[in-house]
Amino acid sequence: MAEERPGAWFGFGFCGFGQELGSGRGRQVHSPSPLRAGVDICRVSASWSYTAFVTRGGRLELSGSASGAAGRCKDAWASEGLLAVLRAGPGPEALLQVWAAESALRGEPLWAQNVVPEAEGEDDPAGEAQAGRLPLLPCARAYVSPRAPFYRPLAPELRARQLELGAEHALLLDAAGQAWTAGPWDPGGRAGATAVGGVAGPSHG
């Protein structure tokens, strides 16, 4: 993951599970408030009941209904069903691990696979398709799904830069700056997380 620019993280909303590090339980944050976690945080991924924090030193910490910590982490993506973690490996490789949210970082992961960034080629001479963060994988040609199979290829015509997955909808930003959407409203009736990788691809506007 490319190094994030320095800045401050803010949060707001329901915090009843202690989703913010050091916040305690049963709080409501009614307006954006700086996180107590400090300036060392380079990535925050929040689900409804827990949050994943990644530091510049590669430490992952969970806070809320899921808790735990791990080292050698490059990125993390939190959802209510699972936690996806990208950990540093030898050379350019990284290890992608998927955990059930309730047992995150304890025991063995549900699934793991080595992933390698795709080399720049004739179809992407400027490396524009390189991914920024999970759930989009470093190759920018596949993503992590909240349901098995966890590794899913994207439609080949999509040159993805960023991907956001909701419970039923997906939003993808491509290298040209176009936003692609998918979800229950899609003409083919496809659900969000699978529609992005469909043969025809999602609709865009």
Side-chain angles (χ1 to χ4, degrees), residues 1-5 42 56 74 131-133:
M1 181 179 73
E3 185 175 349
E4 302 282 347
R5 295 178 180 175
C42 68
R56 298 182 191 282
K74 303 175 70 173
R133 57 180 57 137

Side-chain angles (χ1 to χ4, degrees), residues 108-121:
E108 294 296 319
L110 292 173
W111 179 85
Q113 179 172 315
N114 287 324
V115 293
V116 181
E118 186 169 295
E120 295 176 9

Side-chain angles (χ1 to χ4, degrees), residues 17 38 151:
F17 295 99
Y151 181 97

Side-chain angles (χ1 to χ4, degrees), residues 9-176:
W9 290 94
F10 290 79
F12 64 94
F14 175 70
C15 197
F17 295 99
Q19 293 96 315
E20 181 189 346
L21 284 173
S23 66
R25 291 175 175 260
R27 296 178 63 240
Q28 289 276 9
V29 183
H30 297 288
S31 61
S33 176
L35 298 185
R36 296 179 174 89
V39 296
D40 192 42
I41 299 296
C42 68
R43 170 82 160 117
V44 176
S45 179
S47 71
W48 181 72
S49 66
Y50 76 100
T51 307
F53 300 86
V54 180
T55 70
R56 298 182 191 282
R59 181 173 174 80
L60 168 64
E61 293 193 49
L62 305 180
S63 185
S65 64
S67 60
R72 297 178 27 254
C73 291
K74 303 175 70 173
D75 198 4
W77 177 58
S79 72
E80 280 303 293
L82 61 83
L83 170 73
V85 179
L86 196 63
R87 307 186 78 171
E93 280 195 350
L95 176 63
L96 177 65
Q97 296 176 317
V98 172
W99 308 78
E102 65 271 13
S103 61
L105 307 181
R106 298 191 301 272
E108 294 296 319
L110 292 173
W111 179 85
Q113 179 172 315
N114 287 324
V115 293
V116 181
E118 186 169 295
E120 295 176 9
E122 293 181 2
D123 62 333
D124 187 22
E128 291 178 336
Q130 291 302 301
R133 57 180 57 137
L134 293 173
L136 197 59
L137 293 175
C139 65
R141 304 290 191 218
Y143 66 101
V144 181
S145 169
R147 292 175 290 275
F150 300 115
Y151 181 97
R152 299 197 188 189
L154 284 165
E157 66 270 22
L158 295 175
R159 297 160 61 86
R161 294 291 297 275
Q162 189 171 345
L163 174 66
E164 299 295 335
L165 296 179
E168 294 184 328
H169 301 87
L171 179 64
L172 181 145
L173 180 68
D174 71 13

